[in-house]
Amino acid sequence: MRADMHLGAGDPGALERLLAAETGARERALVEAWRRHGWRWARTDPLGLAPRERDPALDADDAPWLGPLREALERIYAGPIGWETAHVHDAEKRAWLAAAAETGSGPAAGERERAAWLLAATERFEAATLTRLPTAKTFSLDGAEGFMVLADAVIRRAAAAETVVGGMHRGRIAQMALLFGKPMRRLTAELKGAPDLPEVLGAASDVPYHLGWRGTRGDGLAVRVLAHPSHLSIVAPVAAGIARGTPDALPLMLHTDAAIAGQGVNFELMQLSGLAPYSVGGTIHLVLDNRVGFTTDAAAARTSRGPADVARAVEAPILHVDGEDPDACLRAAEVAVEWRARFGSDVVVVLTAYRRRGHNEIDEPRFTQPVMQTAIDARPRLGAAYAARHGLSPDLAAFEAEMDAAFKATPATPNDAPAPPGLAPDAEARMLAAPETGLAEERLRALLARLGAEPEGLALHPKAAKFLARRRAMAAGEAPVDWATAEALAFASLLAEGTPLRFSGQDSVRGAFSQRHLVLADQETGRRVSVLDGLGARAEVFDTPLIENAVLGFEYGLSVADPRRLVVWETQFGDFLNVFQPVFDQFVTCGEDKWLLTSNITLMLPHGWDGGGPDHSTGHLERVLARCAKANLRVVNASTPANWFHLLRGQVHGALRKPMVAFTPKALLRHPGCLSSLSEMGAGTGFRPVLSDLAAGAERALICSGKVAAMLAAEREKRGLGGRVGIVRLEQLHPFPAEALAEALAAAPGALPVWVQEEPENLGPFGWLDRRLERVAGRRVACVSRPAAASPAVGWRAWHDAEERAVFDAALDLEETP
């Protein structure tokens, strides 16, 4: 059998008959050794520079009669496809993979013709781009054209309702032109510097090789390619979330070796892949292994044997493919698609190739990889070699004519694009015009009674039973509504109106502070009942892993894809912003501005200096506010249950779909100063961005936000300063409610305005609010806070209490001017 024949080609039954004869223990041991370790001896590096490792188990038994079997196994497992499957422990899956490796034939009719055409067209397109636009950055695929064959075959074989692609820089422009169906004239216009969006739209847009595309390929298959930032792998969970919200979609993630091995978000996404709330029916991951990341050799980029070893954690099979063997690429694509269809789980294909031109068009790879580059220079062009090997002559006439016309065309005018209302000049004003989100009190009481009902036959924990009893008392008008109940009431009312809910977070179903109890557990059997089930629309309520970056990306993507539902995600503590910052900065805050992505995702960040130490005090208001501009976010730090109820409902009923960052309380969850009446949520009511008790004649107006307002109110009463000191609560920070604040301060024009925050001076909102407050007040506004500090909070409770007393003293001592 020739070395370039795959998987029994020529006599499809020969290998099956040979392997069927391995009935003895020694034969079975040899077969198992090759199935487990053969991939390390596979010929998958076209340059021959990657080390091949022949495991001793492959030659442990040198009995002469095993020779034919060993030769057959070597042809299968040491060829251009390395089958890394030993980490897959499920017996059925292992057997399926072995059968896939040991059976089959060459490419189907027409496959080689398509591959030859694609290779030739890719080479021609990239050469033309380099010649005609020598200064344009395209991150050429030159040297890895086989990746086009692999990705194209996956898309065609899957034939999904839509393929959702999270991509990479490498070969981005060629992929857009030849795989994803982006019009050639549009591509070349962007490379020449023509903006993709009209300037009057007010969007920032992005560089050409970051832009996405949604359209239909020439074969009628729909493709959605996500725009991505330079932090490439961050796009993968967003694409997965969009795939979850898109019926019958295929999630296809494109990676390079350095990115998949080096960026932890890939491991996070893999961990999510097997959890039901994040299931997308399996993701196909295609990894382009250049064996170098920019200038960094593989030996310095990772400690793992292969770039995709993160996939071992979830037992996803890893197929290693020679990037210069298009037939092997076609077979790997076939197996990947069939695996996903059969098992609904992730699969990885690593294609080993090289970069003929370096990282980009101006890079000189010989500075750092001279030996590799010498080997690359000696390689013939793949397209011509493959066509000659199989006697093919790709017809590029029509393609070249289209390409020539595109390059010669005058740069196009900006594309026609919808004018998102969220980018309109009046967007902030529309966000400040809160809708009426209240409901008739009878309706609220009915929903409260439903939320407080004990599920039939459920043996409740005594404290859970008391919790439900309190809600029934609220329904009967015997008690005011607390924070968690107002939240549940908002969720229940939206469900009853037909809005699906997806609420999740880290220990959020019960509530990290045992305040929520959206799911009740039978104390004898463990049976679980959601209190939001049966209210109307579907409620997804679940706890998430201790993962922030990938989870937020997934939830954001889902909110983009499915605008019908309300997506809410809560971190265990607000300081977990530290970990999801990349997704937040590169998608949530600017996805609309750069790529016209609209989302109403709601983030809940528990926030407040309650003596929990430096890591459990702050959601970093200052960082969030620093990213606010042009109505991109709603940022709130509410202090009443009623306002929280209206904010949640406003995410569905508001005029614009915008992400909302809510700094939610901890100490206020059970504070007597944090209660609301049903009338505050009744018909005709809505969110109030400023709440004030400032009375005429007051000497001081304490302006603050969130939990500190309730603490100040309690302290004010202790000191008997009721009429002399007013408290003005800034419930919304962005868009800044200047008119509402001015109206509140007008009640006592002579009162000294003082901003009070519990954060240290260098943290919290004051640095962002300072000039805004000054413009509204018409005078300097002093700030009372903790002293500036490198650590957000002190570790010892006594020190915390002393700092808090100092804040209260400075704010409420009318004899001293702050």
Side-chain angles (χ1 to χ4, degrees), residues 98-225:
E102 295 159 12
T103 62
S105 57
E111 291 284 288
R112 281 179 174 153
E113 287 78 5
R114 169 66 180 171
W117 185 92
L118 199 54
L119 293 172
T122 301
E123 290 174 353
R124 199 69 56 86
F125 176 77
E126 293 208 325
T129 303
L130 183 64
T131 301
R132 301 189 187 204
L133 300 171
T135 61
K137 278 190 179 182
T138 64
F139 297 93
S140 167
L141 200 65
D142 199 348
E145 291 86 355
F147 194 82
M148 300 285 279
V149 174
L150 174 65
D152 178 68
V154 167
I155 294 170
R156 286 187 296 105
R157 285 188 171 276
E162 185 170 43
T163 299
V164 179
V165 183
M168 58 188 185
H169 285 4
R170 181 70 48 213
R172 178 75 162 191
I173 306 301
Q175 290 169 18
M176 284 290 190
L178 294 164
L179 293 186
F180 305 139
K182 189 169 184 177
M184 193 86 70
R185 289 193 180 218
R186 180 167 176 174
L187 268 174
T188 56
E190 290 167 1
L191 291 174
K192 291 174 184 177
D196 67 317
L197 299 172
E199 188 174 2
V200 295
L201 197 62
S205 191
D206 208 338
V207 293
Y209 50 86
H210 283 179
L211 298 176
W213 169 251
R214 190 176 192 180
T216 304
R217 292 169 25 123
D219 55 10
L221 295 174
V223 179
R224 180 171 187 169
V225 187

Side-chain angles (χ1 to χ4, degrees), residues 401-468:
E402 179 190 5
M403 183 174 64
D404 188 58
F407 278 110
K408 287 180 178 178
T410 302
T413 56
N415 300 303
D416 292 333
L423 294 178
D426 66 344
E428 284 198 27
R430 295 178 70 181
M431 289 178 71
L432 286 165
E436 290 186 2
T437 45
L439 297 170
E441 287 190 43
E442 297 79 8
R443 181 63 179 145
L444 293 173
R445 292 185 192 282
L447 288 171
L448 269 176
R450 171 71 172 74
L451 292 171
E454 292 191 12
E456 187 176 349
L458 202 72
L460 289 170
H461 189 284
K463 289 185 178 180
K466 290 181 180 178
F467 176 85
L468 295 179

